[in-house]
């Protein structure tokens, strides 16, 4: 068993990562430089509890970003947190499904954007997206998750479309900002916890 310093232990606890599990890269940082781990712990705490997202929404959004990154350790931790924050299995499954749907959409629409050819813009996508029509989590939050995932995946066309949609559905810029901050922090976690 790897001995971890107090800051690393607090980060692992915040992420609901089981005792005795210390991912390899985090072990390296634990042994050499706790400053970054301390910053990351503060950042995680700051994005999981915000003014413009409920704790349940933060947990589901973190779960969705973790699924997008294919990070099983973070997925398990955020599933546990989402359950603690009273997210149903159906809601958790939809957060994971959103990541999968957007992974495909981001590739497709990024291609259209890069090519900027009228012919591609007029062709039908023929990609089923029923989950977007009547999401369990509500249209506004599903759009917010879609926006955050699109930002992580770097699809400018999707980011612009989802930001406009979520704003039309009543989200404030502060709510959008908190979701993007959360996506950024979870993405940084993915680099050291896998």
């Amino acid at each position: 068993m790897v001995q971890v310093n107090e800051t690393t232990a607090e980060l692992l606890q915040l992420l609901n990562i089981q005792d005795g599990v210390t991912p390899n890269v985090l072990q390296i940082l634990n042994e050499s430089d706790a400053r970054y781990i301390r910053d990351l712990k503060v950042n995680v705490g700051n994005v999981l509890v915000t003014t413009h997202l409920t704790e349940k929404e933060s947990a589901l959004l973190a779960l969705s970003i973790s699924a997008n990154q294919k990070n099983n350790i973070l997925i398990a931790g955020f599933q546990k947190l989402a359950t603690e924050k009273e997210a149903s299995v159906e809601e958790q499954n939809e957060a994971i499904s959103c990541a999968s749907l957007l992974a495909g959409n981001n590739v497709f629409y990024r291609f259209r954007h890069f090519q900027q050819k009228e012919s591609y813009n007029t062709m039908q996508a023929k990609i089923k997206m029923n989950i977007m029509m009547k999401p369990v989590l509500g249209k506004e939050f599903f759009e917010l998750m879609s926006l955050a995932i699109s930002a992580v995946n770097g699809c400018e066309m999707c980011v612009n479309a989802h930001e406009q949609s979520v704003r039309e559905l009543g989200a404030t810029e502060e709510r959008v900002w908190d979701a993007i901050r959360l996506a950024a922090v979870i993405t940084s976690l993915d680099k050291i916890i896998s």
Side-chain angles (χ1 to χ4, degrees):
M1 186 162 119
V2 173
Q3 189 67 20
V4 295
N5 64 43
E6 184 179 342
T7 304
T8 302
E10 289 170 353
L11 176 62
L12 292 170
Q13 183 178 15
L14 186 61
L15 296 172
N16 288 300
I17 296 175
Q18 65 189 27
D19 290 338
V21 174
T22 308
N24 292 340
V25 177
L26 186 59
Q27 288 176 21
I28 294 167
L29 293 177
N30 175 71
E31 294 167 6
S32 62
D33 187 0
R35 291 177 307 145
Y36 180 66
I37 296 171
R38 191 172 18 263
D39 288 347
L40 197 51
K41 182 189 79 156
V42 169
N43 291 341
V44 169
N46 286 341
V47 298
L48 290 178
V49 179
T50 72
T51 306
H52 305 286
L53 296 169
T54 68
E55 289 183 41
K56 177 180 166 181
E57 289 172 332
S58 293
L60 288 167
L61 185 53
L63 174 59
S64 190
I65 298 299
S66 298
N68 184 69
Q69 300 304 100
K70 299 180 283 189
N71 189 313
N72 291 328
I73 294 171
L74 292 177
I75 290 168
F78 288 123
Q79 279 182 305
K80 184 176 178 186
L81 180 62
T83 299
E84 289 171 8
K85 301 302 177 186
E86 301 182 356
S88 69
V89 171
E90 190 175 26
E91 290 171 324
Q92 292 176 49
N93 289 345
E94 190 167 89
I96 293 168
S97 298
C98 181
S100 176
L101 172 66
L102 268 291
N105 282 358
N106 292 159
V107 169
F108 181 81
Y109 289 103
R110 213 170 33 233
F111 171 80
R112 271 188 171 174
H113 178 77
F114 290 159
Q115 287 298 300
Q116 297 184 4
K117 288 185 178 177
E118 188 58 35
S119 58
Y120 292 134
N121 287 333
T122 59
M123 291 180 189
Q124 291 184 358
K126 295 185 180 178
I127 297 173
K128 295 293 269 179
M129 296 184 265
N130 287 326
I131 193 172
M132 273 188 156
M133 299 295 107
K134 248 186 154 173
V136 172
L137 293 167
K139 188 77 170 143
E140 187 269 350
F141 186 67
F142 195 89
E143 284 291 327
L144 191 64
M145 277 194 309
S146 298
L147 170 60
I149 293 166
S150 295
V152 170
N153 291 340
C155 179
E156 180 181 358
M157 182 181 258
C158 296
V159 166
N160 291 335
H162 290 297
E163 195 276 345
Q164 180 179 348
S165 180
V166 78
R167 295 282 289 128
E168 287 172 358
L169 291 166
T172 63
E173 288 182 347
E174 292 81 8
R175 182 167 165 79
V176 169
W177 190 252
D178 280 353
I180 299 302
R181 285 179 49 245
L182 189 145
V185 170
I186 302 307
T187 301
S188 69
L189 275 174
D190 176 59
K191 305 307 177 197
I192 64 165
I193 295 179
S194 60

